[in-house]
Amino acid sequence: EADIYQTPRYLVIGTGKKITLECSQTMGHDKMYWYQQDPGMELHLIHYSYGVNSTEKGDLSSESTVSRIRTEHFPLTLESARPSHTSQYLCASSLTGTGPNDGYTFGSGTRLTVV
Amino acid sequence: ILNVEQSPQSLHVQEGDSTNFTCSFPSSNFYALHWYRWETAKSPEALFVMTLNGDEKKKGRISATLNTKEGYSYLYIKGSQPEDSATYLCALRSVYNQGGKLIFGQGTELSVKP
């Protein structure tokens, strides 16, 4: 039973469309993260949040934006999708992130293709 | 930007073979190392958290060791089974960012043939 939900699992969309990738968690975790992974490459952090109304850009520059209005919800939006946005997007959360043992719980990912 | 390296990138073995792969990281930045297993179409699943030099953790046929002085961790699978086929990710939590972000390697993709 998943504690962190991502929708959709797969999305094929045309260039110029606005899209929102949903991520919700039921564990009450403070910290949430969005990672992007291109084929054969490592997961790159693109956005993170330490709590409600807190969002920060990650290590990899991204044209996407995020919001954190509620603890459980951390959607990612692309205002105008382009083929260069084709990738896998993975959402994760952690309880506090302050201890060495505090790892991530992951969603199942969204595989986005922009045509 | 911190670099976490995993090798090999992919590995193809026969059922019953034992295998191992490596995760390398900058030792000066070490706070904790996490191993995850990621099966196709599923969420990455936590395997181990390694924090102390010389740590050895075991879960069934899978075990991991840690050397923080030289900056590497090994993951071993004894007697590989087809259900072990997955991508194995390691991730570093840096001493300079203890409060959250994990830095991932590119993963080792393991394929076990029956």
Side-chain angles (χ1 to χ4, degrees):
Chain A
E1 188 177 316
D3 296 310
I4 183 164
Y5 303 90
Q6 278 188 253
T7 56
R9 287 292 300 275
Y10 302 94
L11 179 62
V12 180
I13 201 158
T15 298
K17 299 287 186 185
K18 178 180 178 178
I19 56 171
T20 297
L21 308 184
E22 301 288 349
C23 177
S24 296
Q25 50 98 2
T26 58
M27 299 168 286
H29 284 177
D30 288 329
K31 295 186 174 172
M32 296 188 75
Y33 312 87
W34 277 102
Y35 283 82
Q36 181 177 343
Q37 187 189 36
D38 295 326
M41 303 295 289
E42 55 266 45
L43 290 165
H44 283 289
L45 182 69
I46 52 173
H47 297 283
Y48 61 100
S49 167
Y50 284 171
V52 171
N53 294 326
S54 146
T55 62
E56 301 285 344
K57 289 195 177 292
D59 303 320
L60 181 71
S61 175
S62 173
E63 291 168 347
S64 58
T65 59
V66 291
S67 62
R68 189 90 182 274
I69 297 170
R70 302 196 316 264
T71 298
E72 61 270 22
H73 197 212
F74 191 42
L76 181 145
T77 298
L78 276 163
E79 289 293 332
S80 179
R82 293 209 298 268
S84 60
H85 296 139
T86 295
S87 191
Q88 174 153 242
Y89 294 85
L90 199 60
C91 180
S93 70
S94 65
L95 181 58
T96 63
T98 54
N101 295 315
D102 190 19
Y104 288 178
T105 301
F106 283 96
S108 50
T110 295
R111 197 172 289 278
L112 173 66
T113 303
V114 184
V115 297
Chain B
I1 294 179
L2 295 177
N3 228 18
V4 176
E5 300 278 348
Q6 289 188 250
S7 63
Q9 279 204 0
S10 64
L11 201 50
H12 300 266
V13 301
Q14 289 294 131
E15 183 175 354
D17 288 349
S18 292
T19 186
N20 66 85
F21 17 98
T22 307
C23 173
S24 302
F25 52 86
S27 55
S28 59
N29 284 284
F30 179 82
Y31 186 56
L33 190 83
H34 294 243
W35 279 101
Y36 291 87
R37 187 172 101 149
W38 192 4
E39 291 181 68
T40 303
K42 293 188 177 179
S43 309
E45 167 200 357
L47 281 176
F48 304 114
V49 181
M50 321 283 289
T51 55
L52 297 174
N53 186 43
D55 250 357
E56 183 167 342
K57 299 269 176 100
K58 194 172 178 185
K59 190 174 183 176
R61 292 177 292 97
I62 305 177
S63 60
T65 61
L66 178 68
N67 184 324
T68 59
K69 294 185 191 305
E70 295 183 37
Y72 64 83
S73 175
Y74 292 142
L75 191 82
Y76 300 91
I77 303 179
K78 187 176 175 182
S80 303
Q81 299 296 308
E83 58 265 31
D84 295 329
S85 297
T87 297
Y88 291 83
L89 296 169
C90 70
L92 175 72
R93 177 159 279 148
S94 166
V95 69
Y96 302 110
N97 194 350
Q98 300 170 21
K101 298 182 282 183
L102 291 175
I103 299 157
F104 286 86
Q106 72 271 52
T108 293
E109 188 177 354
L110 175 67
S111 173
V112 183
K113 291 187 179 176

